[in-house]
């Protein structure tokens, strides 16, 4: 299915919804407590790149945090959404929340939300100018391996990077080791192998 005009729809819970009509409850725990997860999958030429790895990480994080894993076929949603938006290359950002209502300790008393949004992929560039942010991450945090909705630290870090004339912020942990970028993955080549 390819509409004549690119769509602005998002995938909300189990259906396609125009962005301006999408609603989540005000007591959604993702909104109230940042209790939720996200992952972003790249779609190229109608195929999801590293889909099993992305969804495996999301599934493991859901299990660790006690968040129900979505029933939707997320790879199919990603491919359909990029096509609906008319992109040749794009990405699908999947957000899963822990439920609605309940107190701080949880759990919620109603199901949470699945929101999938779409963007065109950035074209190839000449590389990014990196800024090592003054913010540090904890090497011992139980959340370090999980892509949670707690994102304000990254917002502050990328603002610092932009103010310094850079494109992206690079985090070190409190041991001085490279941790991650705010939105970019970090790889390096060692003995001819990408790590």
């Amino acid at each position: 299915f390819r509409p004549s005009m690119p769509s602005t729809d998002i995938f909300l819970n189990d259906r396609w919804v125009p962005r301006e009509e999408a609603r989540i409850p005000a007591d959604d725990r993702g909104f109230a407590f940042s209790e939720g997860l996200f992952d972003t999958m790249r779609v190229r030429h109608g195929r999801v790149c590293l889909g099993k790895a992305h969804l495996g990480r999301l599934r493991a994080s859901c299990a660790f945090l006690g968040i129900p894993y979505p029933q939707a076929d997320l790879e199919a949603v990603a491919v359909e959404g990029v096509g609906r938006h008319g992109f040749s290359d794009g990405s699908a950002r999947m957000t899963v929340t822990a439920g609605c209502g309940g107190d701080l300790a949880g759990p919620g008393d109603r199901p949470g939300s699945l929101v999938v949004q779409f963007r065109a992929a950035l074209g190839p560039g000449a590389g990014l100018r990196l800024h090592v942010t003054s913010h540090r991450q904890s090497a011992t945090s139980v959340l370090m391996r999980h892509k949670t909705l707690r994102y304000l630290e990254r917002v502050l870090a990328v603002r610092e990077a932009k103010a310094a004339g850079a494109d992206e912020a690079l985090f070190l942990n409190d041991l001085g080791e490279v941790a991650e970028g705010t939105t970019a993955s970090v790889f390096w080549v060692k003995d001819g192998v990408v790590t």
Side-chain angles (χ1 to χ4, degrees):
F1 170 74
R2 262 187 209 274
S4 56
M5 293 294 292
S7 169
T8 60
D9 291 354
I10 65 170
F11 189 83
L12 177 62
N13 297 323
D14 60 357
R15 66 188 196 283
W16 294 97
V17 179
R19 180 181 299 276
E20 61 275 8
E21 295 177 19
R23 303 285 184 270
I24 63 168
D27 64 345
D28 187 290
R29 297 179 68 81
F31 176 74
F33 306 121
S34 298
E35 189 179 358
L37 299 161
F38 78 95
D39 208 310
T40 304
M41 293 194 300
R42 176 82 182 268
V43 177
R44 296 192 69 192
H45 309 299
R47 299 187 62 174
V48 174
C49 302
L50 302 173
K52 286 186 176 30
H54 283 284
L55 297 180
R57 174 173 58 191
L58 182 63
R59 187 180 294 278
S61 292
C62 282
F64 178 78
L65 295 175
I67 297 174
Y69 185 80
Q71 296 298 308
D73 180 341
L74 294 177
E75 284 196 67
V77 169
V79 170
E80 182 178 350
V82 168
R84 278 176 170 256
H85 286 75
F87 307 146
S88 58
D89 270 349
S91 63
R93 185 185 195 271
M94 304 159 293
T95 302
V96 181
T97 66
C100 296
D103 61 14
L104 183 61
D109 52 23
R110 297 184 313 285
S113 301
L114 165 65
V115 180
V116 187
Q117 301 177 75
F118 304 90
R119 294 181 71 169
L122 298 175
L128 295 175
R129 291 165 297 181
L130 293 178
H131 170 78
V132 177
T133 180
S134 61
H135 303 279
R136 293 291 180 266
Q137 294 186 340
S138 169
T140 58
S141 170
V142 297
L143 298 177
M144 280 307 299
R145 295 188 175 273
H146 307 284
K147 295 178 78 87
T148 70
L149 300 185
R150 199 183 105 231
Y151 222 68
L152 186 56
E153 186 177 45
R154 288 168 177 78
V155 170
L156 295 174
V158 80
R159 285 180 185 165
E160 179 185 295
K162 298 285 187 185
D167 303 301
E168 168 68 311
L170 182 68
F171 280 102
L172 304 181
N173 64 22
D174 48 15
L175 302 177
E177 301 165 330
V178 173
E180 62 183 345
T182 59
T183 59
S185 299
V186 179
F187 299 91
W188 62 92
V189 177
K190 181 176 180 181
D191 299 327
V193 177
V194 177
T195 305

